[in-house]
């Protein structure tokens, strides 16, 4: 068994695509029209055959209260690995990204949490420099 | 009405004292951040609900204030209730033998 795809709910698929590609730096893997929405996935350019992230429309009525409660407490819904959280933080802040948690030493890793502008908090993580 | 007893009761717990330490070190933290801090720095594995309740006690005592930034709730330390203690029992009295 392998993890091939995971998903997050996004307010607007096109806005999400712009953020996840132009700002975060992922690339589109699939963008297949499917009724009113699309089967829209992105992958890391560093791992193009790796796990896909599905940007799923947030239409279900349960999504809003679920996400609101998590965002209120600062809880991220997805986590991405980066080489250097501090460098990514500088790069993304310069792009206008809002962080709810600045780079923080969390034992063996450094973490930070950002707002993806589509309704979710995203944690980035890098190993502690040796 | 808050009383000095509320402040002492709020302080009479190691987890709550560590939460205040964390907020003195850096204000404006989320519940998630504070939970991470307690686990990674102090090895405490209390539930998120328990930490939330501790923050509620501190907020009731006036030692923590919260404010929403966007959709996220952030916490800050507020030292003003501690001033009532040292006003009542000054720290600079030198008349003891």
């Amino acid at each position: 068994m392998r993890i091939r795809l995971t998903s997050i709910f996004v307010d607007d698929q096109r806005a999400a695509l712009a953020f996840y590609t132009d700002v975060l730096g992922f690339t589109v893997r699939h963008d297949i029209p499917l009724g009113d929405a699309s089967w829209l996935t992105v992958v890391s350019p560093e791992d193009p055959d790796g796990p896909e992230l599905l940007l799923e429309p947030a239409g279900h009525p349960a999504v809003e209260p679920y996400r609101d409660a998590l965002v209120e407490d600062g809880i991220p819904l997805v986590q991405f690995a980066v080489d250097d959280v501090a460098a990514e933080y500088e790069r993304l802040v310069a792009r206008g990204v809002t962080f709810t948690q600045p780079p923080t030493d969390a034992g063996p890793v450094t973490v930070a949490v950002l707002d993806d502008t589509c309704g979710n908090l995203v944690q980035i993580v890098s190993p502690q420099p040796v | 009405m808050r009383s000095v007893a509320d402040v002492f009761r709020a302080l009479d717990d190691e987890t709550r004292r560590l939460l205040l330490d964390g907020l003195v070190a850096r204000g404006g933290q989320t519940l998630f951040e504070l939970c991470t801090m307690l686990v990674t720095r102090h090895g405490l594995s209390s539930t998120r609900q328990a930490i939330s309740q501790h923050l509620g006690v501190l907020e009731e005592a006036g030692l923590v204030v919260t404010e929403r930034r966007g959709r996220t709730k952030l916490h800050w330390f507020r030292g003003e209730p501690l001033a009532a203690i040292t006003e009542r029992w000054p720290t600079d009295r030198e008349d003891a033998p």
Side-chain angles (χ1 to χ4, degrees):
Chain A
M1 208 176 284
R2 287 168 296 163
I3 296 174
R4 169 57 55 83
L5 178 136
T6 185
S7 64
I8 53 166
F9 291 106
V10 295
D11 294 332
D12 177 306
Q13 281 192 306
R14 293 303 128 188
L17 181 60
F19 184 85
Y20 277 81
T21 56
D22 297 345
V23 179
L24 293 187
F26 293 119
T27 51
V28 180
R29 179 66 191 265
H30 293 294
D31 188 356
I32 303 162
L34 212 65
D36 294 339
S38 299
W39 180 259
L40 178 60
T41 73
V42 295
V43 291
S44 167
E46 297 164 43
D47 191 9
D49 297 318
E52 294 172 56
L53 180 69
L54 175 67
L55 304 175
E56 189 161 4
H60 192 284
V63 172
E64 191 178 341
Y66 162 68
R67 288 197 310 179
D68 283 352
L70 294 178
V71 171
E72 173 171 335
D73 286 342
I75 301 170
L77 271 171
V78 62
Q79 187 184 66
F80 301 131
V82 299
D83 292 335
D84 180 349
V85 162
E88 276 296 316
Y89 174 80
E90 294 301 327
R91 179 181 82 82
L92 293 170
V93 165
R95 295 287 313 263
V97 174
T98 301
F99 278 77
T100 60
Q101 180 178 348
T104 307
D105 177 351
V109 292
T110 300
V111 297
V113 179
L114 62 96
D115 184 332
D116 78 351
T117 71
C118 314
N120 308 292
L121 298 180
V122 170
Q123 185 168 58
I124 54 174
V125 57
S126 62
Q128 216 64 270
V130 260
Chain B
M1 230 354 229
R2 281 176 201 137
S3 68
V4 170
D6 291 333
V7 176
F8 278 116
R9 199 174 60 242
L11 292 171
D12 187 21
D13 180 275
E14 178 64 4
T15 302
R16 291 200 285 271
R17 289 192 294 270
L18 291 172
L19 285 167
L20 292 182
D21 290 342
L23 292 174
V24 167
R26 189 166 54 77
Q29 297 194 54
T30 64
L31 174 62
F32 175 74
E33 246 176 298
L34 292 166
C35 291
T36 306
M37 182 266 301
L38 290 178
V39 172
T40 60
R41 300 261 172 92
H42 305 290
L44 292 181
S45 56
S46 310
T47 64
R48 206 167 265 150
Q49 289 88 335
I51 304 303
S52 184
Q53 281 169 10
H54 282 309
L55 287 166
V57 172
L58 291 167
E59 193 171 0
E60 280 286 305
L63 292 165
V64 162
V65 290
T66 62
E67 190 178 290
R68 276 175 175 277
R69 293 283 162 89
R71 300 161 60 215
T72 301
K73 184 171 153 187
L74 303 181
H75 302 76
W76 283 266
F77 168 72
R78 181 171 164 274
E80 189 261 324
L82 301 176
I85 294 173
T86 55
E87 270 165 32
R88 185 165 168 181
W89 296 293
T91 55
D92 54 359
R93 280 285 284 275
E94 288 179 2
D95 58 349

